[in-house]
Amino acid sequence: MNKKRTTIKDIANVLNISPAAVSKALHDDSRISVKTKVAVKRVAKELNYQPNHLASALRKGKSNLVGVVVPKTNSNFFSSVVEQLEAVLNKAGYNIIITQSNESFEKECKNIDTLLYTQVDGIIASMANETVDLSYYEKIKANGIPLILFDRGENDLNVDYVGIDDYNSSHLIVEHLISKGCKRIAHIGGYRRTRIFNNRIRGYIDAISKNNLPFDDSLIIESSLTLEDGRREMEHLLQLKNRPDAVYIASDYAALGALQVLNEQNIKVPNEIRLIGFGNEPFTSLVTPSISSIEQHSKDIGRIAAETFLKRVTEPKTRQSLNKIILEAELIVRDSSK
């Protein structure tokens, strides 16, 4: 059977005092005697009283909760961002509620509804791969709740955004590979509908053109960038009549899958094919050969996103507008592309 939740009224009935006196005692109001406070807290503990934070938030118009929406929590990038968000926000008196979309638009919408119902004071989010319809993010804005996007976001929302320069990241990678003598560079990317992956694809195409390499559309592959995608798409590239001498992959997990295939087929990396990933996940330095990758500065992104939210809540009358904070990416060169 479901046990009825203990209320302030239940405590008041036991002690034969008013609910208002119980509430004041629980909040250490100076107008309540020490004796009454001790009695109220003793009965509250005995009855397993739990404060109704939602009701409190509705009364005060402030919950001191910040909602966080991430595509996945098993990524070092996202977990590192969340760690910094929490560190900065906790110091400012906020707690965070973490939700995970698993790259699903439907789950992302449900997460946003839950956070709005919980009366969060703000939402810091990175969009799911599937997200094209921005109506749920517009819903956050319509509720007057500060919205900060990181890593994945859309300019059309006209809100704060923190991320790296995805376009220039591709230039860094392509120019590094060309400096190593590569002339046929493939790109396994995300879907163009997602702004960051579209920027990486555009950067790749422009870097190929800028360096006067022949452009071959068959060397651009869009995928979900899972480990399995990396395996499958690398097998596809190896079957081409004129296979690439380098592969730039927009995710370290997909790059790991690609490396597995190359190792299984005894293709020497980097001698025969050079490989570069994206994200600088911890495993990239542990596998053989170690994988070159782009460092996304996750700690800085988490810290800046949290500070941006805090600035928004201290300036509530300032209208939200597009404020892009773009960090320079860094290419970490390891054995796979030397």
Side-chain angles (χ1 to χ4, degrees):
M1 291 178 65
N2 291 329
K3 191 175 180 181
K4 182 175 173 285
R5 184 187 182 113
T6 300
T7 66
I8 283 176
K9 191 178 283 188
D10 295 326
I11 300 171
N13 288 339
V14 171
L15 296 171
N16 198 27
I17 59 176
S18 72
V22 172
S23 179
K24 288 173 184 174
L26 290 171
H27 289 91
D28 283 318
D29 192 302
S30 59
R31 291 169 291 180
I32 302 297
S33 69
V34 173
K35 182 180 177 182
T36 300
K37 287 179 185 177
V38 170
V40 166
K41 290 175 182 178
R42 174 181 55 79
V43 173
K45 186 175 181 182
E46 289 172 357
L47 297 180
N48 195 28
Y49 169 73
Q50 298 294 326
N52 188 333
H53 291 294
L54 181 55
S56 177
L58 285 168
R59 284 194 304 271
K60 296 186 297 181
K62 186 175 175 62
S63 65
N64 287 98
L65 296 171
V66 177
V68 179
V69 183
V70 294
K72 51 192 172 185
T73 54
N74 66 345
S75 151
N76 181 67
F77 170 74
F78 288 114
S79 62
S80 179
V81 169
V82 169
E83 184 180 7
Q84 288 302 306
L85 284 174
E86 186 169 41
V88 174
L89 293 173
N90 281 175
K91 282 182 182 177
Y94 289 89
N95 288 311
I96 66 173
I97 301 174
I98 305 165
T99 66
Q100 177 178 242
S101 68
N102 285 319
E103 304 289 10
S104 162
F105 170 68
E106 183 181 355
K107 193 161 192 297
E108 184 174 76
C109 293
K110 289 179 180 176
N111 290 342
I112 290 171
D113 271 340
T114 299
L115 294 173
L116 292 176
Y117 176 77
T118 311
Q119 302 287 318
V120 293
D121 294 332
I123 292 179
I124 300 174
S126 184
M127 292 180 176
N129 262 337
E130 288 184 5
T131 300
V132 177
D133 180 355
L134 303 179
S135 58
Y136 266 72
Y137 285 98
E138 292 288 0
K139 187 176 179 180
I140 297 170
K141 291 176 61 183
N143 275 271
I145 295 172
L147 171 63
I148 291 87
L149 298 176
F150 71 92
D151 187 47
R152 306 182 197 171
E154 292 299 331
N155 294 345
D156 292 346
L157 282 168
N158 221 31
V159 297
D160 297 296
Y161 170 81
V162 188
I164 64 163
D165 193 325
D166 291 286
Y167 179 85
N168 282 339
S169 297
S170 290
H171 277 260
L172 270 178
I173 291 169
V174 170
E175 286 171 2
H176 165 70
L177 291 170
I178 290 172
S179 75
K180 296 298 179 179
C182 300
K183 299 185 185 305
R184 188 165 166 78
I185 303 167
H187 177 48
I188 300 173
Y191 294 107
R192 294 176 201 249
R193 64 175 180 252
T194 303
R195 187 188 55 78
I196 61 166
F197 296 127
N198 184 48
N199 285 344
R200 291 175 198 177
I201 291 170
R202 285 194 311 106
Y204 159 83
I205 293 171
D206 289 352
I208 292 290
S209 174
K210 175 187 168 187
N211 288 278
N212 299 313
L213 291 182
F215 175 70
D216 184 347
D217 193 52
S218 70
L219 293 181
I220 300 177
I221 300 169
E222 296 180 43
S223 73
S224 296
L225 293 172
T226 63
L227 184 144
E228 292 75 20
D229 288 323
R231 289 188 60 88
R232 183 179 62 254
E233 303 307 346
M234 180 55 81
E235 287 170 351
H236 165 74
L237 289 171
L238 292 177
Q239 289 167 7
L240 295 177
K241 188 175 181 181
N242 186 11
R243 77 185 191 189
D245 55 12
V247 184
Y248 153 36
I249 306 177
S251 156
D252 284 336
Y253 288 94
L256 178 61
L259 180 62
Q260 289 175 349
V261 169
L262 292 169
N263 286 340
E264 288 162 9
Q265 298 197 21
N266 296 315
I267 295 170
K268 293 186 174 72
V269 179
N271 296 359
E272 295 179 68
I273 293 182
R274 284 182 165 81
L275 185 71
I276 296 184
F278 208 107
N280 201 25
E281 293 285 340
F283 63 77
T284 54
S285 64
L286 304 175
V287 296
T288 303
S290 55
I291 302 172
S292 297
S293 188
I294 288 286
E295 168 58 52
Q296 291 183 270
H297 303 299
S298 55
K299 291 184 178 180
D300 289 335
I301 288 174
R303 174 182 57 79
I304 294 169
E307 289 170 351
T308 302
F309 161 75
L310 293 174
K311 184 178 179 183
R312 284 290 176 195
V313 294
T314 56
E315 301 173 8
K317 292 183 180 178
T318 304
R319 187 180 175 190
Q320 267 202 288
S321 60
L322 180 60
N323 174 32
K324 296 176 77 171
I325 302 166
I326 305 299
L327 309 179
E328 287 300 317
E330 177 187 359
L331 176 60
I332 309 297
V333 178
R334 298 194 178 96
D335 294 340
S336 68
S337 71
K338 283 184 177 177

